[in-house]
Structures are given as C-alpha cells and as structure tokens.
Amino acid sequence: MLKLENFTLFRSNICLADSIHLCFEKGKVYAILGPNGTGKSSLLQAIFGELSFSGILRFKGEDVCGMKKKIWKKKLAYMPQDNFVDLNLSALDLVLLGLMDNLGLYISDEQIMLATNMMEKLGILALAHRNISELSGGQRQMLLFASVLLKQPQILLLDEPVSALDMHYQCILLEQVRMQTKSRELLSILVLHDLSLACQFADELVLLYQGEIKAKGKPRKVITKELLKEIYAVQADIFYDDNSLPCVFVKGVSNHIKRRKNE
C-alpha cells in the first residue's frame, strides 16, 4: 500500500497538490485525470523522487523519506511523458536496459530471452534489430514500456503512456498494464487524458483540479456531466458500455466559457 498524507507540492510558486490524502493498493490500476497544468505529471515525479514535496509518503507502512533514494527507486519503474532517447542503441538494447540492475559485462541468453519474449507479447519483436533513431515516437513508447515491465517493479508509474499510440497499441499497452498489475500484484498509477480509456482500463480514478482532489473512486462515480462541465469546461454526454463503464462524448465547450471569451 502506498499512502500520501498531507501531500503538498509546488512548482514555480503554483500549488499543484494542497495537503492531499491518497491511498493506492497493490493489484489495482489507478488513473490520474485532470486538465493540463493541474500537476498530474508532477505528482508522479514526486512519488518517483525527482520533485520535492512536503508531507508524508509511505510504502507498506514505511516512510519513504527515510529511505535512500537508490533503494526506493529500485521498487519503482517510471515511464515519463517525453520518450526521446538520444542513444545509439537497437530496439532490443533499449528494452534490455530494464534489466540494468542485473546486467553484467556480458548479457546472458536468458536475459535476451526475457527481453524478446516481452517484445513479442507487445507485438514489437519485429523492431528488435532496428536503431531507435529510425523509429516513430509511438514505437519508442512501446519499447520503453517493454523495458519498464522487464524491471519487475513493485510500483508502476506511467505518464501518458498512450499519447503517441494508435488505438491498436493503446489497447495492447493498457491491457498489459492491467494484466501485469493483477498477475504480479503491482501497484500501477497512470496519467491519462482519454477519459473513456481511463474508465475502461483503470480500477479507480483520481480527478485533480487546482491542487485538490475533486473526485476519486470507481469510474461511474467520478465521471459525471456536472464534474466534466466544472473541471474541463465542456458539455458532454455519458454513455455506458456492456460492463456499465462510462464512455464520454464531448459535444462542445461550456456556454459560460464561450461567454467569458466574448466579454
């Protein structure tokens, strides 16, 4: 269990998290939602140890601030939003970096097998011997995800992992997140902008706005017309699939936003 207590986070004198309390449980996928600039990415960076905060961060009852950063980071795998990699590597080499803590002078056949098996699961094995400089942003995103999974973390932090992917690979990646989270009892936290995808693949949603948690819980509880109008300033219809999960159809910008622009 990962707990944030009185968690406060500032960036450039802007409060991104104001004394928030959150509890994340293993075996579940959580999606962090909210408009641009509300601190979703910064929240992941703070958990990963790359951004200072005030308050308490506990993992399995232990105060993370009392741990050495290197020990804490071994428990996590973090995939940032920016997937640019300025290295002269093959796709297979990049995936193998997920085993960096266990790599020696020579890479074993077993380690190569682990990497290629993961690439095959994600449908990207054909890229194995291509240089990453030749690949698209979406292809690099899938490779970094394969590398992240190879690390076998206890906590998975993914910042907009499907932003550069087509629908096919969005579903493959998010289905793997869900499957790996359940089978390995991981604790997975994703930043997503697509509300319908978040509802489909996350167990629980956390909606951030102006430094506060506006809503959290099951998708059906969090995704409402009223909240979408308040937080995103849009008029939307909400439909429900065969599993009673919300699907969002945006009709347009809210009238009060249009009026404000015309004033």
Side-chain angles (χ1 to χ4, degrees), residues 8-26:
T8 300
L9 181 63
F10 282 88
R11 187 190 285 274
S12 300
N13 297 320
I14 297 173
C15 182
L16 301 175
D18 187 12
S19 300
I20 64 174
H21 297 262
L22 282 171
C23 182
F24 302 102
E25 299 177 0
K26 67 178 183 179

Side-chain angles (χ1 to χ4, degrees), residues 5-72:
E5 304 172 15
N6 289 316
F7 201 87
T8 300
L9 181 63
F10 282 88
R11 187 190 285 274
S12 300
N13 297 320
I14 297 173
C15 182
L16 301 175
D18 187 12
S19 300
I20 64 174
H21 297 262
L22 282 171
C23 182
F24 302 102
E25 299 177 0
K26 67 178 183 179
K28 287 187 176 182
V29 178
Y30 296 86
I32 309 295
L33 310 174
N36 291 333
T38 53
K40 302 180 298 296
S41 298
S42 297
L43 183 64
L44 292 197
Q45 290 170 12
I47 293 173
F48 188 59
E50 293 298 316
L51 200 61
S52 59
F53 62 88
S54 63
I56 298 174
L57 180 64
R58 299 185 189 275
F59 182 58
K60 296 181 178 179
E62 185 177 356
D63 188 349
V64 170
C65 294
M67 295 183 194
K68 290 184 178 179
K69 186 177 286 190
K70 185 176 181 180
I71 293 174
W72 171 236

Side-chain angles (χ1 to χ4, degrees), residues 114-207:
L114 286 172
T116 54
N117 284 346
M118 183 60 69
M119 294 177 75
E120 187 171 22
K121 283 182 183 178
L122 299 177
I124 53 174
L125 185 56
L127 303 177
H129 298 295
R130 291 183 61 183
N131 192 289
I132 58 174
S133 63
E134 304 171 355
L135 303 178
S136 69
Q139 289 170 324
R140 289 196 302 271
Q141 205 153 7
M142 290 300 292
L143 291 168
L144 287 170
F145 179 60
S147 181
V148 157
L149 289 181
L150 271 194
K151 188 177 179 182
Q152 296 194 331
Q154 296 181 51
I155 299 175
L156 193 60
L157 304 172
L158 306 178
D159 191 357
E160 295 191 40
V162 298
S163 60
L165 302 180
D166 62 33
M167 287 190 292
H168 176 77
Y169 282 106
Q170 285 180 352
C171 290
I172 286 178
L173 188 150
L174 292 174
E175 184 58 46
Q176 278 293 321
V177 170
R178 182 163 60 185
M179 187 183 74
Q180 297 286 338
T181 300
K182 305 303 180 187
S183 63
R184 298 188 193 181
E185 290 200 308
L186 304 180
L187 191 164
S188 297
I189 307 174
L190 290 67
V191 169
L192 292 174
H193 275 297
D194 190 313
L195 303 186
S196 296
L197 278 179
C199 291
Q200 183 180 352
F201 289 99
D203 297 295
E204 295 191 21
L205 310 179
V206 177
L207 182 55

Side-chain angles (χ1 to χ4, degrees), residues 12 42 51 64 70 77 84 176 223 225 232 251 258 263:
S12 300
S42 297
L51 200 61
V64 170
K70 185 176 181 180
F84 177 72
Q176 278 293 321
I223 301 301
K225 288 184 179 182
Y232 290 95
K251 297 189 292 185
K258 288 180 180 178
E263 290 175 352

